[in-house]
Amino acid sequence: MDILTVLENKKQGRTLSREEIDLFVRGAADGSIPDYQLAALLMAIRLNGMDARETADLTLSMAHSGHMLDPQVDGVPVDKHSTGGVGDTTTLVLAPLVAACGGKVLKMSGRGLGHTGGTLDKLESIPGMQIALPEEEFVSIVRTVGCAVVSQSAQLAPADKTLYSLRDVTATVDSIPLIVSSILSKKFAAGAKAIVLDVKTGSGALMPTLEASIDLAMAMVDIGAHAGRSIAAVVSGMEEPLGSHVGNALEVKEAIDILAGRAAGPLKKVSLFLGAQMLIASGLTDTEEKALNMLNEALDSGKGLQKLKEMITAQGGDCRVCDDVSLLPQAPVLYPVRAQESGYLAHVNGTALGLAAQRMGAGRMKKEDVIDPAVGFVMEKRIGDFVQPGDVLCTLHASSEENAKDTETRILSALSFTKEPAPRARLLYALVTPHGVRELDD
Ligand code: URA
Ligand code: CA
C-alpha cells in the first residue's frame, strides 16, 4: 500500500481502511508525505466525505500521532471546547463551578485567533498567572484543585498541525470529518475522557447553517461512541457577543462578577448549561435538573469563586483579583459610544466587533504582537433593546483618545437598528447526546 493507492481510493469515493488512514496520518506527522499529496487527499476527503468509522479511525490515528496523556486525576478528566465566539468566557465561569461540584476539568487551550479571543490571553491578564506548566504539575493541579487551564503542548497530535495549516490554504476547512478529527484528536491526546462541545451557529461560525452545525455536532458525538469517550454537544447561537464584556481583563472581570453573584445574563446561562452537561458526561449526576442545582449551589455558596482563587494561586497568579477586580489591568481612557438615532438594536456583526477589539490591542494582528490586556469594551445593549439618541450603546476601555475614536466608528458600523421591534437573539438551539438530538427552547 502507498499514498497513491489511498489517493485513488478516496478520489473514487471508497471508504479508507484503518491502515490507509494510519499511512497518511503518519506521513503528515513525520513529513514523509509531501504537502501536494496531502493537499490532494484533503480535497478528496472534503468532496467525497468519510463515514463514521473512517472519521473515528482518522481521529484516533491523529491523536496517536504524538504524545498521549493519561492523566491520573482521581476522577473522569473532562474538557469543554467551543468552536469559537466573541466575548465567550464560559471556560472561566464553568471550570471552577464544575470543579466545586467534584468534576476534574483538564483544559488545554489556545491563543486568540483572528477576531475570537483566546482563554490563555484572558488568563494572562491576571498578574503572575502561568499558563505554560509542565505536564505533571498541570495534572497535579487538576487532581488537587479540580481545574487547571494551560497552553496546549506542541507534542500533542502533530499530524493536526500539518493538516490544519494545509486546510487553511486549500479551501478544505469546512469538512465535517476533517473538523471532527482535528478538534477531537487534540482532546483525546490531552487525556479527556468526557468532552462537552459548544458548536456555534450563525454568521462567522465554522458551519454556515443551523442544519450543518447540528450535523457537525452529531458527527462529534458519534465519534465518542466509537472511541469510548463520553461526548455531548450543544449548538448555540453567536449573533452577538455572549457576555457583555469583550477584551482580556474585562472578560476575566465578567467571569469573576458572575461567580461572585454580581452579574448574570446569557454568559451565565450558557456556562451553567454547558457545565451541567460536563457533570453528566463525567458521571457525577444523571439529570440536567440535578446538575443545574449542583452548579447553582456552588455559585450561591461562593464555592465556585473559591475554586477560581485556588486555581489562580496554583498557577502562580494573584488570587486577590477575585476579591478586588480593580487589581486587573485598567485602561486609561473610558469612552461612551452613544446611539445617534432611536430604534431597536436588530443586528450585531459579531465578527466586526471582535475585529474592533483586536484592533484596539486586545488581539494580535501578527503572531508576534503583544496584546494589551486592559483594552476592550462593555456592550450596554443587546439585540432587541430599544435605544434613544444619546443612550450609551457601549463603553470603550481604550489605550488613548485616538484609539477610542477609531474604535467608535468601527463599533457603530457593526450595529444596525430598525424602527420595528426586533426579536432577541436565540442562545441555545440543540443538545446532541448519544441519546439523540433535543431541540432547546432557549
Ligand atoms: N478548530 C480546530 O482545531 N480544527 C478545526 O478543524 C476547526 C476548528
Ligand atoms: Ca482557519
Side-chain angles (χ1 to χ4, degrees):
M1 189 181 35
D2 56 30
I3 184 65
L4 270 178
T5 316
V6 181
L7 274 165
E8 181 66 27
N9 281 337
K10 196 34 91 182
K11 180 184 79 181
Q12 300 293 351
R14 299 188 192 111
T15 53
L16 300 180
S17 67
R18 176 189 289 189
E19 291 70 33
E20 289 176 299
I21 288 170
D22 281 342
L23 180 137
F24 90 81
V25 170
R26 225 176 300 123
D30 68 14
S32 61
I33 297 177
D35 284 357
Y36 50 84
Q37 287 178 319
L38 293 173
L41 184 58
L42 289 169
M43 186 58 84
I45 294 171
R46 164 64 182 81
L47 295 176
N48 289 330
M50 279 185 149
D51 68 18
R53 200 274 306 151
E54 287 176 287
T55 308
D57 282 343
L58 177 58
T59 306
L60 289 167
S61 185
M62 285 167 67
H64 286 275
S65 69
H67 186 44
M68 292 283 284
L69 284 182
D70 185 16
Q72 303 303 313
V73 293
D74 280 345
V76 177
V78 60
D79 196 356
K80 183 233 62 161
H81 180 83
S82 157
T83 64
V86 175
D88 187 333
T89 320
T90 53
T91 296
L92 296 184
V93 179
L94 60 76
L97 287 174
V98 169
C101 296
K104 299 292 174 181
V105 186
L106 166 130
K107 180 112 189 77
M108 287 206 173
S109 217
R111 298 273 172 196
L113 204 70
H115 67 279
T116 64
T119 303
L120 296 182
D121 296 323
K122 297 171 198 175
L123 281 175
E124 279 186 329
S125 69
I126 300 169
M129 194 75 179
Q130 299 300 313
I131 45 86
L133 294 182
E135 207 173 291
E136 316 77 64
E137 206 176 326
F138 169 50
V139 172
S140 144
I141 297 172
V142 175
R143 190 168 48 235
T144 53
V145 174
C147 56
V149 184
V150 300
S151 57
Q152 186 173 299
S153 130
Q155 283 94 346
L156 296 186
D160 179 61
K161 203 161 285 154
T162 309
L163 295 176
Y164 194 77
S165 57
L166 286 173
R167 284 167 59 208
D168 229 4
V169 292
T170 54
T172 53
V173 169
D174 64 340
S175 153
I176 286 182
L178 295 178
I179 294 173
V180 169
S181 55
S182 169
I183 292 176
L184 291 181
S185 61
K186 288 173 279 193
K187 300 287 152 200
F188 290 3
K193 296 288 191 286
I195 300 160
V196 173
L197 297 149
D198 181 9
V199 176
K200 300 291 183 189
T201 191
S203 69
L206 272 179
M207 302 307 286
T209 62
L210 175 59
E211 203 186 4
S213 303
I214 292 177
D215 285 346
L216 173 60
M218 286 168 52
M220 305 244 226
V221 171
D222 244 17
I223 298 308
H226 279 86
R229 322 248 169 169
S230 172
I231 301 184
V234 175
V235 178
S236 70
M238 52 179 295
E239 296 311 316
E240 63 190 326
L242 185 56
S244 55
H245 292 48
V246 179
N248 296 290
L250 288 168
E251 291 181 50
V252 171
K253 173 187 179 296
E254 187 172 21
I256 292 171
D257 285 346
I258 289 174
L259 290 171
R262 286 190 295 269
L267 173 60
K268 176 180 167 186
K269 179 173 170 169
V270 172
S271 300
L272 290 178
F273 191 78
L274 292 167
Q277 303 310 323
M278 290 170 79
L279 292 179
I280 295 168
S282 302
L284 289 165
T285 185
D286 55 356
T287 70
E288 211 165 276
E289 193 189 346
K290 285 188 217 161
L292 285 169
N293 284 340
M294 288 164 74
L295 292 165
N296 276 308
E297 210 280 313
L299 191 74
D300 297 341
S301 64
K303 283 189 195 135
L305 188 62
Q306 180 57 31
K307 276 293 165 204
L308 181 63
K309 285 185 192 169
E310 289 172 27
M311 181 185 100
I312 291 173
T313 303
Q315 295 191 223
D318 183 353
C319 77
R320 290 176 306 164
V321 298
C322 294
D323 296 316
D324 181 0
V325 289
S326 73
L327 295 172
L328 288 165
Q330 306 285 325
V333 176
L334 291 188
Y335 182 103
V337 175
R338 294 180 188 279
Q340 318 205 309
E341 53 192 327
S342 69
Y344 293 88
L345 180 55
H347 181 78
V348 171
N349 183 338
T351 306
L353 286 186
L355 289 171
Q358 184 188 17
R359 282 296 183 96
M360 289 180 89
R364 296 177 186 78
M365 307 298 292
K366 304 187 298 298
K367 222 167 67 191
E368 317 70 64
D369 286 352
V370 177
I371 63 171
D372 181 342
V375 299
F377 45 84
V378 180
M379 297 302 295
E380 312 287 355
K381 301 289 172 198
R382 293 193 78 85
I383 291 176
D385 284 346
F386 181 74
V387 301
Q388 307 270 18
D391 283 357
V392 179
L393 299 170
C394 160
T395 305
L396 305 179
H397 292 237
S399 56
S400 66
E401 286 287 334
E402 192 191 352
N403 182 260
K405 289 263 175 6
D406 243 29
T407 310
E408 177 177 36
T409 317
R410 285 202 181 88
I411 296 218
L412 286 173
S413 56
L415 310 178
S416 346
F417 296 88
T418 52
K419 291 296 165 202
E420 317 75 52
R424 299 227 171 256
R426 190 153 164 198
L427 278 183
L428 297 169
Y429 285 88
L431 171 68
V432 184
T433 66
H435 307 296
V437 181
R438 188 176 108 216
E439 199 183 315
L440 299 171
D441 50 12
D442 219 14

